[in-house]
Amino acid sequence: MEGRSLRSLSNASTPSITRVASGPLSRFNKAPAQSHFHQRCVKLRNKLERIHGMSPYLQRAQNLAESAAESQALALSQSQEVSANTPTFIAGVLPAVVTSDPVTHLWKLFQLGAPLCLLFNAVAPEHPIAVVSSDDMRVCKKSVYDFLLAVKMHLGYEDELMISNVFSDSGTDFNKTLSVVEKLASRADIVEEESSSYNGGTLPNSTPGSLPSSQPGSAPTSRSASGHVPMHTPEAAMSSLSLSDRGRPTFDLEPSPLDSTVTLNDEHSSTDASKVFNELVYTERKYLDDLELLLKYKNEVRLADSVSPEQLDIMFPNLDVITDFQRRFLNGLECNVGISYKYQRIGSAFLHAARGPFRAYEPWTIGQTAAVELLHREGASLRKSSSLIDPGFELHSYVLKPVQRLCKYPLLLKELVKSTSTLNPGYEELTLALEAMKEVAHKVNEAQRRAENVGYLHQLQTRVVNWKGYNVKEMGELLHHGIIGVKVKDEDEKEFLAYLFERAIFFFVEEARKKSGFRNKTPKASSSLNMISSDGPLELSGRVYVSEIYNISTLGNSLVISWSGKKESGSFTFRYKTEETRAQWESCLRGLKQSEMAQIHRKLRGSQDSLGNLSMNSDRTVGTPGNRHHSSSSTTMMQRRVLVQLIHQNNDAGTLVLPASITFPEVYQKIGNRLGDVQRLRYKDEDGDYVVMDSNEDWAIAVDMVEETGGSITIWVS
C-alpha cells in the first residue's frame, strides 16, 4: 500500500553523521608545567618566602586558603548542583595530606594588600609606600590601590591591572595579578630571614583579626588599640639594616614532581595507574594551552572589530567560562601529583565538574555546526584580524577540541579505574566519576545530534517532492536518520534513506535513482549504505507508525521489526552500517515504545478512577433526597461526554451521547440495543482509513481523536 507498505521500497542513502571518536589511548604531547598556575605559584611562593616581613602574611593567607578548602569540601559533600566559581582555585577536594593549593594561597595573599606593598618596597626601596595591615576589606583595597599607583609611577608598568582584578574570583583576572607580581619578584631585593619557612611565622604583637602595619620605609609593625606603634619588634630591628647589608641572594628552586615521573610507593597502586594519571595531567595541560590560545585569538578578533560580538559568541560560545573552569580543573589534578594513591582525590575533580561546571559546554556542543559554517563564511575577515591561528583548517580543529576533550575523559577514567586496585580508598570515587563523565559525554553527543537534526530536517523538507498528505510537523522530533538496508520477507534487500521521528519512520529514495531503475540486489555489509547524494530530490516510498510496532529484536548489525496495522501487518529487517548505529536506533525505538505504554497505562488508570468515582456517586443516590441531589451534581462534573453518530447500511441511524469513560463492551451493548444485531463497528482514523473498533484501546483512541479535533465520533455499523 502506497505510503504504508514496505513492499515498494527502493534503494536510498545519505551522508552519515560523524560522532566523536572513542579509540584507544594514544601518545600525548607533554605540555610544560611552567606555563600554568600551579607551577608558577609554587615558584613565586618560594621567592616571596624570602622577602623580609612576608612570613606572617604567608601564614595568614595559608589559614584563609585552608578555610576555603574546608568550605568547598563541605559544599561538595552536601550539594548535587555546584557552580564553576568556588571558594578555591581548584576543582574537587584536596588530598588528605594537602591543606591548601598554591594558587588559592597566593590569591588570598594578594588580597591582603600589605604583602604587595612589601614586595614593592623590596623592588624600589628609594620610593617606599606604607605597609598597613588589616583584615578590613576597605584597608586591604586601599593598600592594593597604593601598590598599583606606585608600580605605575615609579616602575613605569603599563599593565592594565585594576583593584577589581585582584579581588576577582576569575582566573583571567588572577592571571593579570600573578603576571605583575612575577615581574616584581624577579627584581626584588630578597633577604634571607632567620627562618626560611613561613610556617613558623607569627604576627608580632598582633591580636586575632588584625595584622601588623608600618610606615613608609619601614618593615611592618603592629599597632596597639590606641594607634601607637611599639618600637621593639624584630621587624623594626631588621628595618635598620642598610640595602648593602641585605644584599641580593639567589635561590635554586627544588624541581617539581610535575616535571618528572611520579613514583608511587603504595601497596594498592600500580605503574599503569601512574602512567594513565600522568597522561591525564599532561594532556590536560595541552588542552588548557589550546584554550588559552583560542581565548587570546578571540580577544584579538574582538579588538579588531572585524566581526560582530554576536558572531563571536556563535564561534566561541562560553569560551571564557570554559577556560576559567579548566584552569581550576587542572590545578585540582596537579594537587594530586606526587601524592600516594591512598590519599589522592582525582575522582572528586570530575564529580565536581559533572555536577554543573561542564554544562558550560552545552552551547558549544549545540552550536558547533553553526560555528564551523560561520568560520568558513567569515574566513577573510578573520585572517585580517589575527595571525595567531589560521582561520582555515587549523581554526576549525581548535573549535572541535572542547567537545573532543569532554568525550575523552571517560576513556581516560576507564583506564585509570582498570589499573587501580579495588582495595584502594579512592577506587569507589573513581568509579563514580567514570559513570558521571559517561553521562556527560552521552549528553554532549545527544545535544550535538539533536542540534544537527534540526538542520537535517530542514534539508529533508526541501528535498521531498511529495509528502502524500503527511504532515511532518505532526510526527514529533527527528531523532535519528541514515541509510539502512531494508529486507521484507523473501525479497532482495533494498536501501533507503530512513528518518526516525517520535511517531513514525519514513523511507525515501532518490527520484533519479528510482527512474534509472537502479537496484542494489546484493549489498555488501561493509561497503553498502552509502549510495545516496546529499541534495537530490527524494520521493516518499513508505512509512510505519511507531505505535504499530509490537516487537523489536536484534541480529548482529540488524534489527528485526514486527508491526501490525488495522488493515495489514508484517515484519522487516533493518540492516545498519555499524553495530553502534543499530544500538542507537534500538535504544531509541524501545524508549519510544516504553513511553507509549506508560501513556496508555496512565489513560487506563484515569478511566478506572473515573469509573470508580462514578460508581461511588451512584451508591450515594440510595438514601435521602439530599444525598441524591449531591450525587447528581458530582456526576455531572466528573463525566466527559462524547457525541456518537451512527451509520447503519449507509443510512443515518441517529446519535448517542456517551460518557468518555465508558468501556467498549458497554458501547457495543448500547449500539446493539439501538440497532439490534451488530457484527462489526468501524470508524475512520486521522488518515481517513476505516479502522475496526473491537477493544477498549480502540475506543480510547477514537475519543482522544475527537477531543483533539472537536466534533463527534462517526461509527459505521454492520
Side-chain angles (χ1 to χ4, degrees):
M1 171 181 164
E2 186 178 70
R4 174 183 291 267
S5 173
L6 295 177
R7 296 180 179 275
S8 59
L9 296 178
S10 305
N11 297 310
S13 175
T14 191
S16 60
I17 302 174
T18 303
R19 299 248 69 82
V20 178
S22 57
L25 293 174
S26 58
R27 294 179 118 185
F28 52 89
N29 297 322
K30 296 185 178 182
Q34 289 77 6
S35 63
H36 302 292
F37 282 172
H38 189 97
Q39 189 67 6
R40 289 169 63 189
C41 288
V42 168
K43 292 184 177 181
L44 177 59
R45 186 171 64 183
N46 287 341
K47 290 185 178 183
L48 295 178
E49 284 177 357
R50 293 164 173 82
I51 291 181
H52 169 58
M54 191 66 73
S55 292
Y57 296 104
L58 284 165
Q59 183 60 56
R60 175 60 177 159
Q62 171 77 6
N63 295 338
L64 293 173
E66 290 177 0
S67 177
E70 291 172 0
S71 298
Q72 180 165 317
L74 181 62
L76 291 176
S77 67
Q78 295 179 341
S79 176
Q80 293 298 317
E81 298 291 330
V82 294
S83 82
N85 292 329
T86 56
T88 71
F89 258 100
I90 68 165
V93 179
L94 288 169
V97 294
V98 179
T99 58
S100 71
D101 69 282
V103 184
T104 304
H105 188 191
L106 291 194
W107 181 38
K108 299 298 183 182
L109 181 72
F110 299 157
Q111 291 180 350
L112 292 176
L116 298 177
C117 297
L118 272 179
L119 175 60
F120 176 82
N121 290 343
V123 174
E126 66 278 11
H127 301 291
I129 56 176
V131 182
V132 182
S133 305
S134 175
D135 282 343
D136 189 327
M137 182 64 69
R138 293 172 298 178
V139 177
C140 294
K141 288 186 176 181
K142 176 61 167 60
S143 295
V144 173
Y145 171 78
D146 293 340
F147 166 76
L148 296 178
L149 186 62
V151 166
K152 187 173 182 179
M153 290 179 58
H154 303 297
L155 300 181
Y157 282 18
E158 296 297 333
D159 302 76
E160 296 181 0
L161 185 63
M162 298 183 292
I163 297 176
S164 60
N165 299 139
V166 179
F167 291 91
S168 168
D169 59 2
S170 162
T172 300
D173 289 333
F174 177 76
N175 186 51
K176 291 180 181 179
T177 308
L178 182 62
S179 298
V180 170
V181 176
E182 284 175 328
K183 288 181 182 179
L184 266 68
S186 65
R187 299 174 52 178
D189 291 328
I190 302 180
V191 178
E192 283 267 20
E193 295 184 312
E194 293 181 4
S195 173
S196 61
S197 173
Y198 64 85
N199 290 328
T202 59
L203 301 178
N205 300 329
S206 64
T207 58
S210 66
L211 286 174
S213 60
S214 68
Q215 297 298 319
S218 67
T221 57
S222 63
R223 290 187 183 273
S224 65
S226 62
H228 295 93
V229 181
M231 297 302 296
H232 304 289
T233 62
E235 283 73 18
M238 248 339 242
S239 68
S240 64
L241 292 175
S242 65
L243 182 60
S244 59
D245 292 328
R246 296 178 188 177
R248 189 183 290 273
T250 58
F251 305 94
D252 294 325
L253 299 178
E254 295 182 2
S256 166
L258 292 174
D259 299 322
S260 58
T261 302
V262 179
T263 302
L264 300 171
N265 299 315
D266 194 300
E267 60 179 333
H268 300 317
S269 66
S270 69
T271 303
D272 290 340
S274 177
K275 289 179 180 179
V276 175
F277 181 47
N278 277 329
E279 177 171 358
L280 173 60
V281 174
Y282 288 132
T283 54
E284 189 63 27
R285 288 177 184 160
K286 179 63 173 65
Y287 172 54
L288 183 55
D289 285 341
D290 293 337
L291 289 179
E292 298 282 9
L293 180 62
L294 198 58
L295 185 59
K296 186 176 180 180
Y297 175 83
K298 175 186 175 181
N299 290 333
E300 287 191 2
V301 174
R302 176 178 55 82
L303 292 174
D305 200 25
S306 58
V307 297
S308 68
E310 293 76 17
Q311 288 176 316
L312 269 181
D313 287 340
I314 294 174
M315 294 177 190
F316 314 110
N318 274 358
L319 179 58
D320 302 67
V321 177
I322 291 172
T323 304
D324 199 52
F325 179 74
Q326 293 298 151
R327 292 165 179 152
R328 285 174 159 82
F329 187 74
L330 175 60
N331 187 33
L333 292 178
E334 290 186 325
C335 286
N336 289 275
V337 173
I339 304 297
S340 173
Y341 260 42
K342 62 184 178 182
Y343 301 120
Q344 285 184 342
R345 299 297 301 274
I346 301 169
S348 71
F350 287 96
L351 289 173
H352 178 177
R355 289 177 183 174
F358 276 167
R359 289 179 187 163
Y361 282 83
E362 288 180 4
W364 198 288
T365 302
I366 295 172
Q368 193 170 86
T369 302
V372 172
E373 292 176 354
L374 187 57
L375 291 175
H376 179 73
R377 193 164 60 246
E378 297 294 333
S381 299
L382 294 172
R383 188 168 282 105
K384 297 176 184 177
S385 304
S386 175
S387 58
L388 276 178
I389 305 176
D390 181 79
F393 176 79
E394 185 181 13
L395 183 55
H396 287 198
S397 67
Y398 271 88
V399 168
L400 298 176
K401 286 178 185 287
V403 175
Q404 290 175 338
R405 183 61 180 176
L406 208 58
C407 293
K408 180 75 170 178
Y409 288 136
L411 186 61
L412 290 165
L413 280 173
K414 181 180 179 181
E415 294 297 318
L416 193 57
V417 169
K418 186 190 302 183
S419 57
T420 301
S421 169
T422 56
L423 299 177
N424 191 296
Y427 179 83
E428 183 178 356
E429 189 173 66
L430 283 174
T431 304
L432 292 174
L434 173 59
E435 294 306 313
M437 291 310 301
K438 282 182 178 178
E439 181 63 21
V440 169
H442 172 71
K443 288 181 178 178
V444 165
N445 277 329
E446 278 296 295
Q448 188 174 10
R449 182 184 58 76
R450 289 175 182 270
E452 290 171 345
N453 282 346
V454 174
Y456 288 124
L457 177 57
H458 176 73
Q459 184 186 55
L460 175 67
Q461 290 174 305
T462 61
R463 294 181 64 191
V464 176
V465 178
N466 181 6
W467 280 96
K468 300 181 180 178
Y470 295 107
N471 187 350
V472 70
K473 294 181 180 179
E474 297 178 353
M475 297 303 159
E477 181 185 352
L478 174 61
L479 303 174
H480 288 284
H481 82 284
I483 308 160
I484 63 175
V486 179
K487 182 176 176 60
V488 181
K489 293 185 178 180
D490 297 329
E491 296 182 3
D492 293 330
E493 180 182 294
K494 301 172 185 178
E495 290 182 1
F496 297 92
L497 182 54
Y499 284 75
L500 170 59
F501 291 85
E502 289 180 300
R503 297 185 180 89
I505 308 174
F506 287 94
F507 303 88
F508 302 93
V509 64
E510 277 191 335
E511 275 197 331
R513 290 165 59 82
K514 187 172 183 179
K515 290 178 181 178
S516 66
F518 178 84
R519 294 290 184 273
N520 182 15
K521 296 184 178 180
T522 55
K524 295 180 180 179
S526 60
S527 61
S528 184
L529 310 184
N530 59 2
M531 302 291 290
I532 291 181
S533 67
S534 61
D535 55 1
L538 297 175
E539 180 178 326
L540 177 61
S541 295
R543 69 103 179 106
V544 60
Y545 286 120
V546 173
S547 61
E548 296 175 338
I549 297 174
Y550 66 86
N551 187 58
I552 304 170
S553 58
T554 61
L555 184 64
N557 287 1
S558 301
L559 285 180
V560 179
I561 306 293
S562 299
W563 61 279
S564 177
K566 290 298 180 182
K567 292 179 250 184
E568 55 184 329
S569 62
S571 66
F572 41 75
T573 302
F574 291 168
R575 182 176 62 85
Y576 300 89
K577 192 171 183 180
T578 65
E579 188 171 343
E580 180 183 5
T581 305
R582 187 270 305 159
Q584 291 172 351
W585 278 65
E586 179 185 5
S587 175
C588 186
L589 283 169
R590 292 189 186 279
L592 291 173
K593 295 302 295 182
Q594 289 175 0
S595 298
E596 178 186 300
M597 293 304 300
Q599 186 176 5
I600 292 175
H601 289 158
R602 283 195 297 270
K603 288 183 178 180
L604 290 176
R605 282 197 300 269
S607 298
Q608 291 170 355
D609 291 342
S610 298
L611 288 172
N613 291 333
L614 204 57
S615 175
M616 290 169 54
N617 288 328
S618 298
D619 292 341
R620 294 195 188 108
T621 62
V622 182
T624 66
N627 285 339
R628 187 178 297 109
H629 174 76
H630 176 74
S631 172
S632 175
S633 174
S634 301
T635 303
T636 302
M637 291 173 57
M638 285 185 291
Q639 288 194 59
R640 293 176 299 149
R641 296 181 176 275
V642 293
L643 183 65
V644 178
Q645 180 71 43
L646 300 177
I647 305 294
H648 184 236
Q649 295 180 353
N650 296 326
N651 295 318
D652 185 357
T655 59
L656 292 174
V657 178
L658 302 176
S661 58
I662 194 173
T663 63
F664 173 75
E666 292 173 310
V667 173
Y668 191 91
Q669 182 178 3
K670 288 182 179 295
I671 295 176
N673 292 339
R674 169 73 66 88
L675 301 178
D677 185 31
V678 175
Q679 299 295 327
R680 184 172 64 168
L681 303 180
R682 294 182 300 162
Y683 72 101
K684 285 187 177 181
D685 64 10
E686 66 273 18
D687 299 324
D689 297 330
Y690 286 103
V691 178
V692 174
M693 182 184 294
D694 57 7
S695 67
N696 285 332
E697 183 181 350
D698 292 332
W699 170 250
I701 291 173
V703 170
D704 288 344
M705 185 176 66
V706 170
E707 290 180 346
E708 291 176 2
T709 61
S712 61
I713 301 176
T714 301
I715 296 181
W716 281 262
V717 183
S718 59

PDB file of all heavy atoms in Angstrom, residues 552-556 558-560 582 586 590:
ATOM      1  N   ILE A 552      10.603  -5.894  18.767  1.00  0.00           N
ATOM      2  CA  ILE A 552      11.914  -5.476  18.258  1.00  0.00           C
ATOM      3  C   ILE A 552      12.937  -6.485  18.731  1.00  0.00           C
ATOM      4  O   ILE A 552      13.035  -6.771  19.931  1.00  0.00           O
ATOM      5  CB  ILE A 552      12.305  -4.073  18.784  1.00  0.00           C
ATOM      6  CG1 ILE A 552      11.228  -3.044  18.439  1.00  0.00           C
ATOM      7  CG2 ILE A 552      13.649  -3.644  18.237  1.00  0.00           C
ATOM      8  CD1 ILE A 552      11.430  -1.701  19.137  1.00  0.00           C
ATOM      9  N   SER A 553      13.701  -7.051  17.811  1.00  0.00           N
ATOM     10  CA  SER A 553      14.761  -7.995  18.178  1.00  0.00           C
ATOM     11  C   SER A 553      16.015  -7.675  17.375  1.00  0.00           C
ATOM     12  O   SER A 553      15.962  -7.025  16.337  1.00  0.00           O
ATOM     13  CB  SER A 553      14.316  -9.437  17.917  1.00  0.00           C
ATOM     14  OG  SER A 553      13.973  -9.620  16.548  1.00  0.00           O
ATOM     15  N   THR A 554      17.161  -8.105  17.884  1.00  0.00           N
ATOM     16  CA  THR A 554      18.448  -7.787  17.257  1.00  0.00           C
ATOM     17  C   THR A 554      19.058  -9.014  16.610  1.00  0.00           C
ATOM     18  O   THR A 554      18.838 -10.153  17.042  1.00  0.00           O
ATOM     19  CB  THR A 554      19.432  -7.225  18.300  1.00  0.00           C
ATOM     20  OG1 THR A 554      19.654  -8.223  19.314  1.00  0.00           O
ATOM     21  CG2 THR A 554      18.881  -5.973  18.937  1.00  0.00           C
ATOM     22  N   LEU A 555      19.848  -8.745  15.573  1.00  0.00           N
ATOM     23  CA  LEU A 555      20.577  -9.808  14.876  1.00  0.00           C
ATOM     24  C   LEU A 555      21.830  -9.174  14.282  1.00  0.00           C
ATOM     25  O   LEU A 555      21.813  -8.668  13.157  1.00  0.00           O
ATOM     26  CB  LEU A 555      19.709 -10.437  13.786  1.00  0.00           C
ATOM     27  CG  LEU A 555      20.318 -11.629  13.028  1.00  0.00           C
ATOM     28  CD1 LEU A 555      20.532 -12.789  14.000  1.00  0.00           C
ATOM     29  CD2 LEU A 555      19.412 -12.055  11.877  1.00  0.00           C
ATOM     30  N   GLY A 556      22.932  -9.159  15.075  1.00  0.00           N
ATOM     31  CA  GLY A 556      24.162  -8.514  14.609  1.00  0.00           C
ATOM     32  C   GLY A 556      23.974  -7.027  14.429  1.00  0.00           C
ATOM     33  O   GLY A 556      23.573  -6.312  15.354  1.00  0.00           O
ATOM     34  N   SER A 558      21.702  -5.761  12.663  1.00  0.00           N
ATOM     35  CA  SER A 558      20.344  -5.602  12.149  1.00  0.00           C
ATOM     36  C   SER A 558      19.314  -5.593  13.267  1.00  0.00           C
ATOM     37  O   SER A 558      19.544  -6.136  14.356  1.00  0.00           O
ATOM     38  CB  SER A 558      20.018  -6.736  11.170  1.00  0.00           C
ATOM     39  OG  SER A 558      20.923  -6.763  10.090  1.00  0.00           O
ATOM     40  N   LEU A 559      18.178  -4.973  12.964  1.00  0.00           N
ATOM     41  CA  LEU A 559      17.004  -5.009  13.822  1.00  0.00           C
ATOM     42  C   LEU A 559      15.878  -5.692  13.061  1.00  0.00           C
ATOM     43  O   LEU A 559      15.642  -5.385  11.899  1.00  0.00           O
ATOM     44  CB  LEU A 559      16.550  -3.592  14.200  1.00  0.00           C
ATOM     45  CG  LEU A 559      17.356  -2.814  15.230  1.00  0.00           C
ATOM     46  CD1 LEU A 559      16.724  -1.438  15.446  1.00  0.00           C
ATOM     47  CD2 LEU A 559      17.427  -3.570  16.549  1.00  0.00           C
ATOM     48  N   VAL A 560      15.185  -6.597  13.722  1.00  0.00           N
ATOM     49  CA  VAL A 560      14.016  -7.248  13.138  1.00  0.00           C
ATOM     50  C   VAL A 560      12.788  -6.594  13.775  1.00  0.00           C
ATOM     51  O   VAL A 560      12.603  -6.659  14.997  1.00  0.00           O
ATOM     52  CB  VAL A 560      14.016  -8.761  13.384  1.00  0.00           C
ATOM     53  CG1 VAL A 560      12.770  -9.395  12.768  1.00  0.00           C
ATOM     54  CG2 VAL A 560      15.288  -9.384  12.808  1.00  0.00           C
ATOM     55  N   ARG A 582      23.112   0.657  14.988  1.00  0.00           N
ATOM     56  CA  ARG A 582      21.995  -0.234  15.289  1.00  0.00           C
ATOM     57  C   ARG A 582      21.574  -0.098  16.745  1.00  0.00           C
ATOM     58  O   ARG A 582      20.383  -0.013  17.072  1.00  0.00           O
ATOM     59  CB  ARG A 582      22.398  -1.681  14.990  1.00  0.00           C
ATOM     60  CG  ARG A 582      21.255  -2.694  15.100  1.00  0.00           C
ATOM     61  CD  ARG A 582      21.114  -3.292  16.486  1.00  0.00           C
ATOM     62  NE  ARG A 582      22.348  -3.881  16.937  1.00  0.00           N
ATOM     63  CZ  ARG A 582      22.649  -4.108  18.206  1.00  0.00           C
ATOM     64  NH1 ARG A 582      21.816  -3.750  19.162  1.00  0.00           N
ATOM     65  NH2 ARG A 582      23.815  -4.653  18.545  1.00  0.00           N
ATOM     66  N   GLU A 586      17.943   1.059  18.153  1.00  0.00           N
ATOM     67  CA  GLU A 586      17.222   0.118  19.017  1.00  0.00           C
ATOM     68  C   GLU A 586      16.855   0.779  20.346  1.00  0.00           C
ATOM     69  O   GLU A 586      15.710   0.685  20.808  1.00  0.00           O
ATOM     70  CB  GLU A 586      18.082  -1.117  19.274  1.00  0.00           C
ATOM     71  CG  GLU A 586      17.386  -2.123  20.180  1.00  0.00           C
ATOM     72  CD  GLU A 586      18.289  -3.290  20.534  1.00  0.00           C
ATOM     73  OE1 GLU A 586      19.478  -3.283  20.168  1.00  0.00           O
ATOM     74  OE2 GLU A 586      17.780  -4.214  21.212  1.00  0.00           O
ATOM     75  N   ARG A 590      12.976   1.403  21.512  1.00  0.00           N
ATOM     76  CA  ARG A 590      12.484   0.797  22.754  1.00  0.00           C
ATOM     77  C   ARG A 590      12.028   1.879  23.736  1.00  0.00           C
ATOM     78  O   ARG A 590      11.025   1.710  24.437  1.00  0.00           O
ATOM     79  CB  ARG A 590      13.569  -0.074  23.389  1.00  0.00           C
ATOM     80  CG  ARG A 590      13.891  -1.330  22.577  1.00  0.00           C
ATOM     81  CD  ARG A 590      14.799  -2.271  23.347  1.00  0.00           C
ATOM     82  NE  ARG A 590      15.224  -3.400  22.531  1.00  0.00           N
ATOM     83  CZ  ARG A 590      14.473  -4.488  22.321  1.00  0.00           C
ATOM     84  NH1 ARG A 590      13.274  -4.584  22.853  1.00  0.00           N
ATOM     85  NH2 ARG A 590      14.939  -5.482  21.574  1.00  0.00           N
TER      86      ARG A 590
END
